[in-house]
Amino acid sequence: MRKTLPFNLRVLDYVIILVAVAITVATAVLLYGGKAASLQVVVEGSGKTWIFPIGSEETLQVPGPIGTTVVRIHDKQTWIESSPCHNQLCVAAGKIDRADQWVACLPNKVFVRIKGKKSDEGPDWSTW
Amino acid sequence: MKAPTGLPGDAITVDRAVALLGAFCLFLSTIEYLIPKPLPFIRIGIANLPLMIALDILPLPSFISLVFIKILGQGIITGSLLSYVFLFSLAGTVFSSAAMYVGWKIAAPRFVSFVGIGVIGALTSNITQILCARIFIFGESALYIAPPFLAVGLVTGISLGVLCELFVQRSRWYGDFKK
């Protein structure tokens, strides 16, 4: 084998490098590993907060100052199905399914967002 | 005034080495500062080279003063001396130098070369800084910067170790000092 370095690495050099690689890989796996499974839907309204895993099946009636906003969680997506507001922007906002996306009904003070780690899968449709 | 004898134990010679290596730290800090960084905390750490060189030639008290010369000098050069970033630098350098010193005294040169010591230093420095970031600023999410941070540290640690090993082999100054 051709000698590439003009000195010899010693036993512990290899051990230390291996340990360092192991620590690096372990932190990467630990931190970036358990992906989208941990996404949660956070629904806030009238001073209360509800948290559901995104995989759950829920139809939530959230009371607000002007009536009841209906939030649906279904098939790993969540959206506002109906709301008593007159512009219906929140309903038009459609479905959200990724970390840090949100949809809100301002007149009825209901805020729905998805909490969790961002996964890099797929394009970012909001800027694409 | 006593003339330096050039012997390792000679106080004047040791002091001169501290001054020279200290100046070397400041110079390398400046060079380091010139290099653009992709992420705020990721550094090459070339300013640690003199510390590594010092491991084998300076007695502990002189080594410690060199460590503090490096920390202070770097703080002044990068302008972080009076900011919270300085705490990171302080903690990182103190712990990594301690780890390198202990590692060197225990295992070098028979079982470990500067390459292993460099990796120990980089790793300790990075872990310390990540923990500082976690405790003082960002909370839990600071840990998310850990993997790229540690990976870069591994590469720079190995490179610095190789550089140091080459220096030690070729430098006449170092050779004279060791005699």
Side-chain angles (χ1 to χ4, degrees):
Chain A
M1 204 175 86
R2 201 171 75 87
K3 209 171 163 210
T4 47
L5 283 174
F7 60 88
N8 294 316
L9 288 176
R10 331 268 143 85
V11 189
L12 283 182
D13 289 327
Y14 294 107
V15 176
I16 291 166
I17 291 172
L18 280 180
V19 169
V21 170
I23 293 178
T24 309
V25 172
T27 52
V29 170
L30 273 180
L31 292 171
Y32 304 147
K35 297 219 160 155
S38 59
L39 290 184
Q40 289 173 322
V41 180
V42 180
V43 182
E44 288 168 275
S46 44
K48 289 189 200 133
T49 305
W50 293 264
I51 300 175
F52 301 97
I54 190 131
S56 57
E57 221 21 81
E58 290 288 339
T59 304
L60 203 60
Q61 318 257 343
V62 187
I66 58 169
T68 302
T69 298
V70 180
V71 178
R72 278 270 280 153
I73 305 171
H74 169 69
D75 199 18
K76 296 194 174 172
Q77 289 184 316
T78 188
W79 66 95
I80 292 182
E81 198 158 70
S82 69
S83 198
C85 56
H86 72 267
N87 57 20
Q88 297 290 303
L89 275 178
C90 51
V91 178
K95 300 176 177 179
I96 56 173
D97 58 1
R98 290 155 56 103
D100 293 347
Q101 286 183 320
W102 55 273
V103 48
C105 178
L106 292 184
N108 207 28
K109 298 191 173 151
V110 175
F111 189 79
V112 181
R113 68 191 165 94
I114 298 182
K115 197 174 95 172
K117 274 174 262 170
K118 272 198 169 141
S119 70
D120 293 327
E121 293 162 36
D124 179 357
W125 295 107
S126 62
T127 54
W128 199 54
Chain B
M1 222 177 99
K2 224 170 69 173
T5 59
L7 296 171
D10 183 276
I12 296 174
T13 311
V14 167
D15 284 352
R16 286 191 172 181
V18 172
L20 182 66
L21 290 171
F24 200 15
C25 282
L26 303 201
F27 171 69
L28 290 174
S29 298
T30 316
I31 300 293
E32 170 103 61
Y33 191 51
L34 291 176
I35 301 170
K37 297 170 215 34
L39 285 167
F41 295 115
I42 288 180
R43 293 216 217 124
I44 306 175
I46 44 174
N48 291 310
L49 204 56
L51 294 183
M52 288 166 71
I53 292 168
L55 284 174
D56 205 24
I57 56 177
L58 291 187
L60 186 57
S62 310
F63 181 73
I64 292 174
S65 48
L66 181 62
V67 168
F68 282 94
I69 290 171
K70 186 238 168 193
I71 296 171
L72 273 178
Q74 199 161 36
I76 291 168
I77 285 165
T78 60
S80 66
L81 188 58
L82 299 179
S83 75
Y84 72 91
V85 180
F86 181 68
L87 281 180
F88 286 61
S89 163
L90 178 74
T93 306
V94 166
F95 281 101
S96 69
S97 337
M100 291 196 292
Y101 191 86
V102 171
W104 183 263
K105 289 296 161 199
I106 292 176
R110 202 156 158 223
F111 300 112
V112 76
S113 73
F114 281 113
V115 175
I117 294 296
V119 174
I120 289 184
L123 206 64
T124 318
S125 166
N126 286 345
I127 290 175
T128 312
Q129 299 202 19
I130 291 165
L131 291 181
C132 281
R134 189 188 170 289
I135 296 168
F136 296 118
I137 318 182
F138 306 118
E140 227 27 78
S141 51
L143 295 179
Y144 286 89
I145 63 173
F149 208 43
L150 293 175
V152 171
L154 182 60
V155 175
T156 59
I158 292 175
S159 325
L160 280 187
V162 171
L163 209 61
C164 197
E165 200 64 47
L166 294 180
F167 175 84
V168 163
Q169 275 184 6
R170 289 169 198 199
S171 162
R172 208 182 292 165
W173 173 82
Y174 187 87
D176 286 347
F177 208 104
K178 285 214 69 177
K179 263 183 226 155

Coordinates of all heavy atoms in Angstrom, one line a residue, chain B residues 9-94:
Chain B
G9 N 13.7 23.2 30.1 CA 13.4 23.7 31.5 C 13.7 25.1 31.7 O 13.2 25.7 32.7
D10 N 14.4 25.8 30.8 CA 14.9 27.1 31.0 C 13.7 28.1 31.0 O 13.0 28.1 30.0 CB 15.9 27.5 30.0 CG 16.4 28.9 30.2 OD1 15.8 29.8 29.7 OD2 17.5 29.0 30.8
A11 N 13.5 28.9 32.1 CA 12.4 29.7 32.2 C 12.2 30.7 31.0 O 11.2 31.0 30.5 CB 12.4 30.4 33.5
I12 N 13.4 31.3 30.7 CA 13.3 32.4 29.6 C 12.9 31.8 28.3 O 12.1 32.3 27.6 CB 14.7 33.1 29.5 CG1 14.9 33.9 30.8 CG2 14.7 34.1 28.4 CD1 16.3 34.5 31.0
T13 N 13.5 30.6 28.0 CA 13.2 29.9 26.8 C 11.7 29.6 26.7 O 11.1 29.8 25.7 CB 14.0 28.6 26.6 OG1 15.4 28.9 26.9 CG2 13.9 28.1 25.2
V14 N 11.2 29.1 27.8 CA 9.8 28.7 27.9 C 8.9 30.0 27.7 O 8.0 30.0 26.9 CB 9.4 28.0 29.2 CG1 7.9 28.0 29.4 CG2 10.0 26.7 29.2
D15 N 9.3 31.1 28.3 CA 8.5 32.3 28.2 C 8.5 32.8 26.8 O 7.5 33.3 26.3 CB 9.1 33.4 29.1 CG 8.6 33.1 30.6 OD1 7.8 32.2 30.8 OD2 9.1 33.8 31.5
R16 N 9.7 32.7 26.1 CA 9.8 33.1 24.8 C 8.9 32.3 23.9 O 8.2 32.8 22.9 CB 11.2 33.0 24.2 CG 12.1 34.1 24.8 CD 13.4 34.1 24.1 NE 14.1 35.3 24.5 CZ 15.3 35.6 24.0 NH1 15.9 34.8 23.1 NH2 15.9 36.7 24.4
A17 N 8.8 31.0 24.2 CA 8.0 30.1 23.4 C 6.5 30.5 23.6 O 5.7 30.5 22.6 CB 8.2 28.6 23.8
V18 N 6.1 30.8 24.8 CA 4.8 31.2 25.1 C 4.4 32.4 24.2 O 3.4 32.5 23.6 CB 4.5 31.5 26.6 CG1 3.1 32.1 26.8 CG2 4.6 30.2 27.4
A19 N 5.4 33.4 24.3 CA 5.1 34.7 23.5 C 5.0 34.4 22.0 O 4.1 34.9 21.4 CB 6.3 35.6 23.8
L20 N 5.9 33.5 21.5 CA 5.9 33.3 20.1 C 4.6 32.5 19.7 O 4.0 32.9 18.7 CB 7.1 32.4 19.7 CG 7.3 32.1 18.3 CD1 7.6 33.3 17.5 CD2 8.4 31.1 18.0
L21 N 4.3 31.5 20.5 CA 3.1 30.7 20.1 C 1.9 31.6 20.3 O 0.9 31.4 19.6 CB 3.0 29.4 21.0 CG 4.1 28.4 20.6 CD1 4.1 27.3 21.7 CD2 3.9 27.8 19.3
G22 N 1.9 32.4 21.3 CA 0.8 33.3 21.6 C 0.5 34.2 20.4 O -0.6 34.4 19.9
A23 N 1.6 34.8 19.9 CA 1.6 35.7 18.7 C 1.0 34.9 17.5 O 0.2 35.4 16.7 CB 2.9 36.2 18.4
F24 N 1.5 33.7 17.4 CA 1.1 32.8 16.4 C -0.5 32.5 16.4 O -1.2 32.6 15.4 CB 1.8 31.4 16.6 CG 1.9 30.5 15.5 CD1 1.7 30.9 14.2 CD2 2.3 29.2 15.7 CE1 1.8 30.0 13.1 CE2 2.5 28.3 14.7 CZ 2.2 28.7 13.4
C25 N -1.0 32.4 17.7 CA -2.4 32.2 17.9 C -3.2 33.4 17.4 O -4.2 33.3 16.7 CB -2.8 32.1 19.4 SG -2.4 30.5 20.1
L26 N -2.7 34.6 17.7 CA -3.4 35.8 17.3 C -3.3 36.0 15.8 O -4.3 36.3 15.1 CB -2.7 37.1 17.9 CG -2.6 37.2 19.4 CD1 -2.4 38.6 19.9 CD2 -3.8 36.6 20.1
F27 N -2.2 35.7 15.2 CA -2.1 35.8 13.7 C -3.1 34.8 13.1 O -3.8 35.2 12.2 CB -0.7 35.4 13.3 CG -0.5 35.3 11.8 CD1 -0.6 36.4 11.0 CD2 -0.2 34.0 11.2 CE1 -0.5 36.3 9.6 CE2 -0.1 33.9 9.9 CZ -0.2 35.0 9.0
L28 N -3.1 33.6 13.6 CA -4.0 32.6 13.0 C -5.5 32.9 13.2 O -6.3 32.6 12.4 CB -3.7 31.2 13.5 CG -2.3 30.6 13.0 CD1 -2.0 29.3 13.6 CD2 -2.3 30.5 11.4
S29 N -5.8 33.5 14.4 CA -7.1 34.0 14.6 C -7.5 35.0 13.5 O -8.7 35.0 13.1 CB -7.3 34.7 16.0 OG -6.9 33.8 17.0
T30 N -6.6 35.9 13.2 CA -6.9 36.9 12.2 C -7.2 36.2 10.8 O -8.2 36.5 10.1 CB -5.7 37.8 12.0 OG1 -5.2 38.2 13.3 CG2 -6.1 39.0 11.2
I31 N -6.4 35.2 10.5 CA -6.6 34.5 9.2 C -7.9 33.8 9.3 O -8.7 33.8 8.3 CB -5.5 33.4 9.0 CG1 -4.1 34.0 9.0 CG2 -5.7 32.6 7.8 CD1 -3.8 34.9 7.8
E32 N -8.2 33.1 10.4 CA -9.5 32.4 10.6 C -10.6 33.4 10.4 O -11.6 33.1 9.7 CB -9.5 31.9 12.0 CG -10.8 31.3 12.4 CD -10.9 29.8 12.4 OE1 -10.1 29.2 13.1 OE2 -11.7 29.3 11.6
Y33 N -10.5 34.6 10.9 CA -11.5 35.6 10.8 C -11.8 36.0 9.4 O -12.9 36.5 9.0 CB -11.1 36.8 11.7 CG -12.2 37.8 11.9 CD1 -13.5 37.4 12.4 CD2 -12.0 39.1 11.7 CE1 -14.5 38.3 12.6 CE2 -13.0 40.1 12.0 CZ -14.3 39.6 12.4 OH -15.2 40.5 12.6
L34 N -10.8 35.9 8.6 CA -10.9 36.4 7.2 C -11.7 35.4 6.3 O -12.3 35.7 5.3 CB -9.5 36.5 6.5 CG -8.5 37.6 7.0 CD1 -7.2 37.4 6.3 CD2 -9.2 38.9 6.6
I35 N -11.7 34.1 6.8 CA -12.3 33.1 6.0 C -13.8 33.1 6.2 O -14.3 33.1 7.3 CB -11.8 31.7 6.4 CG1 -10.2 31.7 6.2 CG2 -12.4 30.6 5.6 CD1 -9.5 30.5 6.8
P36 N -14.6 33.2 5.1 CA -16.0 33.3 5.3 C -16.5 32.0 5.9 O -16.0 30.9 5.6 CB -16.5 33.4 3.9 CG -15.4 33.7 3.0 CD -14.2 33.2 3.7
K37 N -17.5 32.1 6.7 CA -18.1 30.9 7.4 C -19.5 30.6 6.8 O -20.3 31.5 6.8 CB -18.2 31.1 8.9 CG -16.8 31.3 9.5 CD -17.0 31.7 11.0 CE -16.0 32.7 11.5 NZ -15.4 33.6 10.5
P38 N -19.7 29.4 6.5 CA -21.1 29.0 6.0 C -22.1 29.2 7.1 O -23.2 29.6 6.8 CB -20.9 27.6 5.6 CG -19.7 27.1 6.3 CD -18.8 28.2 6.5
L39 N -21.8 28.8 8.3 CA -22.7 29.0 9.4 C -22.0 29.7 10.6 O -20.8 29.5 10.7 CB -23.1 27.6 9.9 CG -24.2 26.9 9.0 CD1 -24.3 25.4 9.4 CD2 -25.5 27.5 9.1
P40 N -22.7 30.4 11.4 CA -22.0 31.3 12.3 C -21.0 30.6 13.2 O -20.0 31.2 13.5 CB -23.2 31.9 13.1 CG -24.4 31.2 12.7 CD -24.1 30.6 11.3
F41 N -21.3 29.4 13.7 CA -20.4 28.9 14.7 C -19.4 27.9 14.2 O -18.5 27.4 14.9 CB -21.2 28.2 15.8 CG -22.1 29.1 16.6 CD1 -23.4 29.0 16.5 CD2 -21.5 30.1 17.4 CE1 -24.2 29.9 17.3 CE2 -22.3 31.0 18.1 CZ -23.6 30.9 18.0
I42 N -19.5 27.6 12.9 CA -18.6 26.7 12.3 C -17.3 27.3 12.0 O -17.2 28.3 11.2 CB -19.2 26.0 11.1 CG1 -20.3 25.0 11.6 CG2 -18.1 25.2 10.3 CD1 -21.0 24.2 10.5
R43 N -16.2 26.8 12.5 CA -14.9 27.4 12.3 C -13.9 26.3 12.0 O -14.1 25.2 12.3 CB -14.4 28.1 13.6 CG -15.2 29.2 14.0 CD -14.3 30.3 14.6 NE -15.0 30.9 15.6 CZ -14.6 31.0 16.9 NH1 -13.4 30.5 17.1 NH2 -15.2 31.6 17.8
I44 N -12.8 26.7 11.4 CA -11.8 25.7 11.1 C -11.0 25.4 12.3 O -10.5 24.3 12.5 CB -10.9 26.3 10.0 CG1 -11.7 26.7 8.8 CG2 -9.9 25.2 9.5 CD1 -10.9 27.3 7.7
G45 N -10.7 26.5 13.1 CA -10.0 26.2 14.4 C -8.5 26.3 14.2 O -7.8 25.7 15.0
I46 N -8.0 26.9 13.1 CA -6.6 26.9 12.9 C -5.8 27.6 14.1 O -4.7 27.4 14.3 CB -6.1 27.6 11.6 CG1 -6.9 28.9 11.3 CG2 -6.2 26.6 10.5 CD1 -6.4 29.6 10.1
A47 N -6.6 28.5 14.8 CA -5.9 29.2 15.9 C -5.5 28.2 17.0 O -4.8 28.6 18.0 CB -6.8 30.3 16.5
N48 N -6.0 27.0 16.9 CA -5.7 26.0 17.9 C -4.4 25.3 17.7 O -3.9 24.5 18.5 CB -6.8 25.0 18.1 CG -8.0 25.6 18.7 OD1 -7.9 26.2 19.7 ND2 -9.2 25.4 18.0
L49 N -3.8 25.5 16.5 CA -2.6 24.9 16.1 C -1.5 25.1 17.1 O -0.8 24.2 17.5 CB -2.2 25.4 14.7 CG -1.4 24.5 13.8 CD1 -2.0 23.1 13.7 CD2 -1.1 25.1 12.4
P50 N -1.2 26.4 17.4 CA -0.2 26.6 18.4 C -0.4 25.9 19.7 O 0.6 25.5 20.4 CB -0.2 28.1 18.6 CG -0.9 28.7 17.4 CD -1.8 27.6 17.0
L51 N -1.7 25.8 20.1 CA -1.9 25.1 21.4 C -1.5 23.6 21.3 O -0.9 23.0 22.2 CB -3.4 25.1 21.7 CG -4.0 26.5 22.0 CD1 -5.5 26.3 22.4 CD2 -3.3 27.1 23.2
M52 N -1.8 23.0 20.1 CA -1.4 21.6 19.9 C 0.1 21.5 19.9 O 0.7 20.6 20.5 CB -2.0 21.1 18.6 CG -3.5 20.9 18.7 SD -4.3 20.6 17.1 CE -3.7 19.0 16.7
I53 N 0.8 22.4 19.2 CA 2.3 22.4 19.2 C 2.8 22.5 20.6 O 3.8 21.9 20.9 CB 2.8 23.5 18.3 CG1 2.4 23.3 16.8 CG2 4.3 23.7 18.4 CD1 2.6 24.4 15.9
A54 N 2.2 23.3 21.4 CA 2.7 23.6 22.7 C 2.5 22.4 23.7 O 3.2 22.3 24.7 CB 1.9 24.8 23.4
L55 N 1.6 21.5 23.3 CA 1.4 20.3 24.2 C 2.6 19.6 24.7 O 2.8 19.3 25.8 CB 0.5 19.3 23.5 CG -1.0 19.7 23.4 CD1 -1.7 18.6 22.5 CD2 -1.7 19.7 24.7
D56 N 3.5 19.5 23.7 CA 4.7 18.6 24.1 C 5.9 19.4 24.6 O 6.9 18.9 25.0 CB 5.1 17.8 22.8 CG 5.9 16.6 23.2 OD1 5.7 16.1 24.3 OD2 6.6 16.1 22.4
I57 N 5.8 20.8 24.5 CA 7.0 21.5 24.8 C 6.8 22.5 26.0 O 7.8 23.0 26.5 CB 7.6 22.3 23.6 CG1 6.5 23.2 23.0 CG2 8.1 21.3 22.5 CD1 7.1 24.0 21.8
L58 N 5.6 22.7 26.4 CA 5.4 23.7 27.4 C 5.0 23.0 28.7 O 4.2 22.1 28.7 CB 4.3 24.7 27.1 CG 4.7 25.7 26.0 CD1 3.6 26.8 25.9 CD2 6.0 26.4 26.2
P59 N 5.5 23.4 29.9 CA 4.9 22.9 31.1 C 3.5 23.5 31.3 O 3.2 24.5 30.7 CB 5.9 23.5 32.2 CG 6.6 24.6 31.5 CD 6.6 24.4 30.1
L60 N 2.8 22.8 32.2 CA 1.4 23.1 32.4 C 1.0 24.6 32.6 O 0.2 25.2 31.9 CB 0.7 22.2 33.4 CG -0.8 22.4 33.6 CD1 -1.6 22.1 32.3 CD2 -1.3 21.5 34.7
P61 N 1.8 25.3 33.5 CA 1.4 26.7 33.8 C 1.6 27.5 32.5 O 0.7 28.4 32.2 CB 2.4 27.1 34.8 CG 2.9 25.9 35.5 CD 2.8 24.8 34.4
S62 N 2.6 27.3 31.8 CA 2.8 28.1 30.5 C 1.8 27.7 29.5 O 1.3 28.6 28.8 CB 4.2 27.8 30.0 OG 5.2 27.9 30.9
F63 N 1.4 26.4 29.5 CA 0.4 26.0 28.5 C -0.9 26.7 28.8 O -1.6 27.2 28.0 CB 0.2 24.5 28.6 CG -0.9 24.0 27.7 CD1 -0.6 23.9 26.3 CD2 -2.1 23.5 28.1 CE1 -1.6 23.4 25.4 CE2 -3.1 23.0 27.3 CZ -2.8 23.0 25.9
I64 N -1.2 26.8 30.1 CA -2.5 27.5 30.5 C -2.4 29.0 30.2 O -3.4 29.5 29.6 CB -2.7 27.3 32.1 CG1 -3.0 25.9 32.4 CG2 -3.9 28.2 32.5 CD1 -3.2 25.5 33.8
S65 N -1.3 29.6 30.4 CA -1.3 31.0 30.0 C -1.4 31.2 28.5 O -2.0 32.1 28.0 CB 0.0 31.8 30.5 OG 1.1 31.0 30.3
L66 N -0.8 30.2 27.7 CA -1.0 30.3 26.3 C -2.5 30.2 25.9 O -3.0 30.9 25.0 CB -0.2 29.2 25.6 CG -0.3 29.1 24.1 CD1 0.3 30.4 23.5 CD2 0.5 27.9 23.5
V67 N -3.2 29.3 26.6 CA -4.6 29.1 26.3 C -5.4 30.4 26.5 O -6.2 30.8 25.7 CB -5.2 28.0 27.2 CG1 -6.7 28.0 27.2 CG2 -4.7 26.6 26.8
F68 N -5.0 31.1 27.6 CA -5.7 32.4 27.9 C -5.3 33.5 26.9 O -6.1 34.3 26.6 CB -5.7 32.7 29.3 CG -6.6 31.9 30.2 CD1 -6.2 30.7 30.8 CD2 -8.0 32.3 30.2 CE1 -7.1 30.0 31.5 CE2 -8.9 31.5 30.9 CZ -8.4 30.3 31.6
I69 N -4.1 33.4 26.5 CA -3.6 34.4 25.5 C -4.5 34.2 24.2 O -5.0 35.2 23.6 CB -2.1 34.3 25.1 CG1 -1.3 34.7 26.3 CG2 -1.8 35.1 23.9 CD1 0.2 34.4 26.2
K70 N -4.7 33.0 23.8 CA -5.4 32.6 22.6 C -6.9 33.1 22.8 O -7.4 33.8 21.9 CB -5.4 31.1 22.4 CG -6.0 30.7 21.1 CD -7.2 29.8 21.3 CE -8.0 29.6 20.0 NZ -9.2 28.9 20.3
I71 N -7.5 32.8 23.9 CA -8.9 33.2 24.1 C -9.1 34.7 24.1 O -9.9 35.2 23.4 CB -9.4 32.6 25.5 CG1 -9.4 31.1 25.5 CG2 -10.8 33.1 25.7 CD1 -9.6 30.5 26.8
L72 N -8.2 35.4 24.8 CA -8.3 36.9 24.9 C -8.0 37.5 23.5 O -8.8 38.3 23.0 CB -7.3 37.4 25.9 CG -7.8 37.5 27.3 CD1 -6.7 38.1 28.2 CD2 -9.0 38.4 27.4
G73 N -7.0 37.0 22.9 CA -6.6 37.6 21.6 C -7.6 37.3 20.5 O -8.0 38.2 19.8
Q74 N -8.2 36.1 20.5 CA -9.2 35.8 19.6 C -10.5 36.7 19.8 O -11.1 37.2 18.9 CB -9.6 34.4 19.7 CG -10.3 33.8 18.5 CD -10.3 32.3 18.4 OE1 -10.4 31.6 19.4 NE2 -10.2 31.8 17.2
G75 N -10.8 36.9 21.1 CA -11.9 37.7 21.5 C -11.7 39.2 21.0 O -12.7 39.8 20.5
I76 N -10.5 39.7 21.1 CA -10.2 41.0 20.6 C -10.3 41.1 19.1 O -10.9 42.0 18.5 CB -8.9 41.5 21.2 CG1 -8.9 41.7 22.7 CG2 -8.5 42.8 20.5 CD1 -7.6 41.9 23.3
I77 N -9.7 40.1 18.5 CA -9.6 40.2 17.0 C -11.0 40.0 16.4 O -11.3 40.7 15.4 CB -8.6 39.1 16.5 CG1 -7.2 39.6 16.8 CG2 -8.8 38.9 15.0 CD1 -6.2 38.5 16.6
T78 N -11.8 39.1 16.9 CA -13.1 38.9 16.3 C -14.1 39.9 16.8 O -15.3 39.9 16.4 CB -13.6 37.5 16.5 OG1 -13.7 37.3 17.9 CG2 -12.7 36.4 15.9
G79 N -13.7 40.7 17.8 CA -14.6 41.7 18.4 C -15.7 41.1 19.2 O -16.7 41.7 19.6
S80 N -15.5 39.8 19.7 CA -16.6 39.2 20.5 C -16.3 39.2 22.0 O -17.0 38.7 22.8 CB -16.7 37.7 20.0 OG -15.5 37.0 20.3
L81 N -15.2 39.9 22.3 CA -14.7 39.9 23.7 C -15.8 40.3 24.7 O -15.9 39.7 25.8 CB -13.5 40.8 23.9 CG -12.8 40.7 25.2 CD1 -12.3 39.4 25.5 CD2 -11.6 41.7 25.2
L82 N -16.6 41.3 24.4 CA -17.6 41.7 25.3 C -19.0 41.2 25.0 O -20.0 41.7 25.6 CB -17.6 43.3 25.4 CG -16.2 43.9 25.8 CD1 -16.3 45.4 25.8 CD2 -15.8 43.4 27.2
S83 N -19.1 40.2 24.2 CA -20.4 39.7 23.9 C -20.6 38.3 24.4 O -19.6 37.7 24.8 CB -20.7 39.8 22.4 OG -20.0 38.7 21.7
Y84 N -21.8 37.8 24.3 CA -22.1 36.4 24.8 C -21.3 35.4 24.0 O -21.0 34.3 24.5 CB -23.6 36.1 24.8 CG -24.1 35.9 23.5 CD1 -24.2 34.6 22.9 CD2 -24.6 37.0 22.7 CE1 -24.7 34.4 21.6 CE2 -25.1 36.8 21.4 CZ -25.1 35.5 20.9 OH -25.6 35.3 19.7
V85 N -21.0 35.7 22.8 CA -20.2 34.8 21.9 C -18.9 34.4 22.6 O -18.4 33.3 22.4 CB -20.0 35.3 20.5 CG1 -19.2 34.4 19.6 CG2 -21.3 35.7 19.9
F86 N -18.4 35.4 23.3 CA -17.1 35.2 24.0 C -17.2 34.0 25.0 O -16.2 33.2 25.1 CB -16.7 36.4 24.7 CG -15.3 36.3 25.4 CD1 -14.2 36.2 24.6 CD2 -15.2 36.3 26.8 CE1 -12.9 36.0 25.3 CE2 -14.0 36.1 27.4 CZ -12.9 36.0 26.6
L87 N -18.3 33.9 25.6 CA -18.5 32.7 26.6 C -18.4 31.4 25.9 O -17.7 30.5 26.4 CB -19.9 32.8 27.2 CG -20.1 33.8 28.3 CD1 -21.5 33.7 28.8 CD2 -19.1 33.5 29.4
F88 N -18.9 31.3 24.7 CA -18.8 30.1 23.9 C -17.4 29.8 23.6 O -16.9 28.7 23.7 CB -19.5 30.3 22.5 CG -21.0 30.2 22.6 CD1 -21.7 31.2 23.4 CD2 -21.7 29.3 22.0 CE1 -23.0 31.2 23.5 CE2 -23.1 29.2 22.1 CZ -23.8 30.2 22.9
S89 N -16.6 30.8 23.1 CA -15.3 30.7 22.8 C -14.4 30.3 24.0 O -13.6 29.3 23.9 CB -14.8 32.0 22.2 OG -13.4 32.1 22.2
L90 N -14.7 30.9 25.1 CA -14.0 30.6 26.4 C -14.2 29.2 26.8 O -13.3 28.4 27.0 CB -14.5 31.6 27.5 CG -14.0 31.4 28.9 CD1 -12.6 32.0 28.9 CD2 -14.8 32.1 29.9
A91 N -15.5 28.8 26.8 CA -15.8 27.4 27.3 C -15.2 26.4 26.3 O -14.6 25.4 26.7 CB -17.3 27.2 27.4
G92 N -15.4 26.7 25.0 CA -14.9 25.7 24.0 C -13.4 25.5 24.1 O -12.9 24.4 24.1
T93 N -12.7 26.7 24.2 CA -11.2 26.6 24.2 C -10.7 25.9 25.5 O -9.8 25.1 25.5 CB -10.6 27.9 24.0 OG1 -11.1 28.5 22.9 CG2 -9.1 27.8 23.9
V94 N -11.3 26.3 26.6 CA -10.9 25.8 27.9 C -11.0 24.3 28.0 O -10.1 23.5 28.3 CB -11.6 26.4 29.1 CG1 -11.4 25.7 30.4 CG2 -11.1 27.9 29.3

